Amino acid sequence: MTATEDVATGLPVATFTDAMSRLVSGLAVVTTRQADGRPCGLLVSSICSYSVDPPSVLVVVDHASRCCEPLTHCAEFGVHVLGTAQERTARTFASRGADKFADVAWEWDGSVPRLCAVPIYLRCTATAVFDHGDHTVLIGEVTRTRVEDAEPLVFYRRLFDWRLRGNGAA
Ligand SMILES: Cc1cc2nc3c(=O)[nH]c(=O)nc-3n(C[C@H](O)[C@H](O)[C@H](O)COP(=O)(O)O)c2cc1C
């Protein structure tokens, strides 16, 4: 087994991103309604359970994301935790496509664009938002859930679904 070690001052970006790529993540699509009434959404790995009382999740959004502004000002947003059947959906929402919703089944749930056929759906009321560096931190209180058993879509060492492909644990 080989190991590398770096100290923090002037740490190269690649060193940091390589370290973080070894953190196993679930993946979710976060959606909301834009000011013009159209849906928007992006793929995130920065989703976690924030608190149980009240039931809340935390998401971190890059200022460069087109969804950042709508999410910063929204009353509600949706979190869709993906399963292995949604790898294509993951790639679509990680893209800068013009209409990411064109090829997925979705519907309005109040003001939230809800993707159909995902294993876990959380409807959230935005309760806190703040900027730090080049990202915005968004906390939402969960007001509705739908949960279905499915194999999770797992991101590890820059690969989707690494475990099922058996190529991630070098
Ligand atoms: C595996 C993976 C995880 C990602 N996680 C995040 C994230 O947590 N936050 C974020 O802002 N962008 C994340 N992104 C990047 C966005 O999905 C990507 O920039 C997207 O094009 C933004 O779309 P938009 O500009 O339409 O909002 C991730 C991308 C990938 C492939």
Side-chain angles (χ1 to χ4, degrees):
M1 187 166 72
T2 57
T4 56
E5 192 164 329
D6 282 284
V7 288
T9 310
L11 194 71
V13 170
T15 303
F16 172 69
T17 56
D18 178 60
M20 295 313 297
S21 75
R22 292 156 197 263
L23 174 67
V24 178
S25 311
L27 292 171
V29 172
V30 177
T31 61
T32 195
R33 184 167 64 189
Q34 305 180 76
D36 65 6
R38 289 183 300 137
C40 68
L42 81 161
L43 182 74
V44 302
S45 55
S46 63
I47 170 80
C48 67
S49 170
Y50 177 71
S51 69
V52 172
D53 185 17
S56 303
V57 293
L58 180 150
V59 183
V60 183
V61 183
D62 193 327
H63 290 168
S65 161
R66 296 170 301 177
C67 293
C68 190
E69 212 269 336
L71 283 167
T72 300
H73 296 103
C74 74
E76 290 184 303
F77 62 92
V79 172
H80 308 80
V81 181
L82 304 180
T84 50
Q86 284 86 45
E87 182 172 342
R88 190 157 155 248
T89 302
R91 293 186 188 281
T92 298
F93 281 88
S95 77
R96 303 272 292 182
D99 185 3
K100 301 181 187 182
F101 290 80
D103 292 327
V104 291
W106 69 279
E107 62 194 12
W108 289 109
D109 176 24
S111 65
V112 175
R114 173 180 176 166
L115 306 185
C116 308
V118 296
I120 300 170
Y121 168 67
L122 310 173
R123 177 168 149 178
C124 304
T125 300
T127 51
V129 57
F130 61 92
D131 282 348
H132 182 74
D134 58 0
H135 280 66
T136 292
V137 179
L138 184 63
I139 296 170
E141 185 171 336
V142 180
T143 56
R144 177 174 187 171
T145 64
R146 181 182 178 278
V147 176
E148 189 183 296
D149 284 339
E151 288 283 330
L153 186 60
V154 172
F155 194 68
Y156 176 66
R157 295 189 74 175
R158 302 184 175 95
L159 294 171
F160 289 94
D161 198 11
W162 71 278
R163 182 174 56 87
L164 297 178
R165 291 178 189 179
N167 56 5

